[in-house]
Amino acid sequence: PKSDDKASLSSMNAKAMHTKQSKKPELMELTINQVGELDMRYPVGCSVWFQFDKTNNSNGGDNPGQSFHTGVITTVFIDLSSRDIIYKVKLIGQDGKQSEMIPEHELYYAPRCPVNISPSSPDKLETKGEILMCQSISHQQINTRTVLQLKVSLLKEQARLSNNPNDCEKLLDILHQLANIHMSLPILAESLIGKSIVTLKSHGNNLVAQQARELVKKWKGVANVEKDQ
């Protein structure tokens, strides 16, 4: 009987694990207006590269990572369970499969993609430009730079709010941008962004405090998982 109980328990655990692993994301499609309001990194119509193969060099040359797919963003979704941004990408030059669902952190801007360039100082206007080359840089490096820039913006906004504590729209926007970044333990360690967010858990604005608590919880989970690997 004991061995049967163990077998039954193992079977139940296996089923539970399979259910957890096979759980489909709860995707909600965003409208064009929502995509614009949320200032998505890759808007609809944006040309992208994705699925770089660092072991396959089918395009020739001496450098790895030259095998990749090209596509155009057609639809933007948000995964309600993880809050990750997922893009539906129409494939270009591919036979058979028409489109794929790609997470934001796996996409790169394609050459000739139109972009808006943020000004280096607040007194200058945003300008329009075009991608000339897709630089060989990891998403972790990109995300680390982005987090460090958002950290500076966060600290400036906190200083500004000391005189006007009720105007939290910009602060909430920064927290939203941080929530959309594919975080990792090295990024958390280098940027120390967690320390800045922890101070917001007791913020007077309920929405700010709630988002800060959710970010801290999410990043602790990321850190624990990567430490165990």
Side-chain angles (χ1 to χ4, degrees):
K2 289 184 178 180
S3 60
D4 290 341
D5 290 342
K6 290 182 179 179
S8 176
L9 182 59
S10 299
S11 176
M12 290 173 63
N13 289 337
K15 289 180 179 178
M17 184 175 296
H18 174 74
T19 301
K20 184 176 181 180
Q21 291 175 344
S22 61
K23 184 179 179 181
K24 294 182 178 180
E26 302 175 32
L27 297 182
M28 182 183 76
E29 181 178 341
L30 300 179
T31 65
I32 295 295
N33 289 337
Q34 288 173 326
V35 172
E37 290 172 359
L38 295 174
D39 195 22
M40 293 298 174
R41 179 176 293 178
Y42 303 99
V44 173
C46 180
S47 299
V48 292
W49 285 355
F50 60 99
Q51 292 182 351
F52 280 78
D53 185 351
K54 294 183 180 180
T55 61
N56 183 9
N57 194 11
S58 59
N59 292 336
D62 298 325
N63 296 324
Q66 292 184 337
S67 176
F68 55 88
H69 297 295
T70 304
V72 176
I73 302 294
T74 60
T75 318
V76 184
F77 299 86
I78 184 170
D79 184 346
L80 298 178
S81 57
S82 65
R83 295 193 176 184
D84 291 334
I85 301 300
I86 310 293
Y87 295 85
K88 186 174 184 179
V89 183
K90 181 181 180 181
L91 301 179
I92 297 176
Q94 295 289 324
D95 296 329
K97 201 168 185 181
Q98 297 297 314
S99 61
E100 288 194 21
M101 304 292 283
I102 310 294
E104 185 172 77
H105 66 273
E106 293 181 11
L107 291 172
Y108 294 83
Y109 290 113
R112 305 201 65 181
C113 177
V115 292
N116 293 328
I117 304 171
S118 298
S120 56
S121 59
D123 59 326
K124 295 183 179 180
L125 297 176
E126 190 176 74
T127 57
K128 295 185 179 297
E130 183 180 275
I131 297 293
L132 298 179
M133 181 186 301
C134 183
Q135 185 180 7
S136 178
I137 182 172
S138 70
H139 274 289
Q140 180 168 301
Q141 289 174 297
I142 295 173
N143 287 339
T144 300
R145 292 179 186 177
T146 304
V147 170
L148 288 171
Q149 290 170 352
L150 288 173
K151 181 181 178 181
V152 172
S153 299
L154 179 72
L155 295 175
K156 288 182 178 178
E157 189 62 16
Q158 284 182 284
R160 186 186 71 82
L161 288 176
S162 61
N163 297 323
N164 189 9
N166 296 321
D167 182 15
C168 296
E169 184 176 348
K170 178 64 176 177
L171 187 58
L172 288 168
D173 179 63
I174 294 171
L175 293 175
H176 175 77
Q177 292 182 63
L178 286 169
N180 286 331
I181 290 176
H182 187 70
M183 194 61 71
S184 67
L185 185 57
I187 296 176
L188 290 170
E190 182 173 344
S191 67
L192 299 177
I193 185 65
K195 291 185 177 180
S196 300
I197 300 301
V198 166
T199 61
L200 297 176
K201 290 171 64 177
S202 57
H203 194 276
N205 183 289
N206 290 334
L207 289 176
V208 171
Q210 180 182 351
Q211 285 201 28
R213 287 193 293 268
E214 290 177 355
L215 276 177
V216 171
K217 182 179 179 180
K218 180 181 179 180
W219 293 347
K220 280 184 177 179
V222 169
N224 291 334
V225 168
E226 294 191 14
K227 283 178 181 178
D228 293 336
Q229 291 178 349

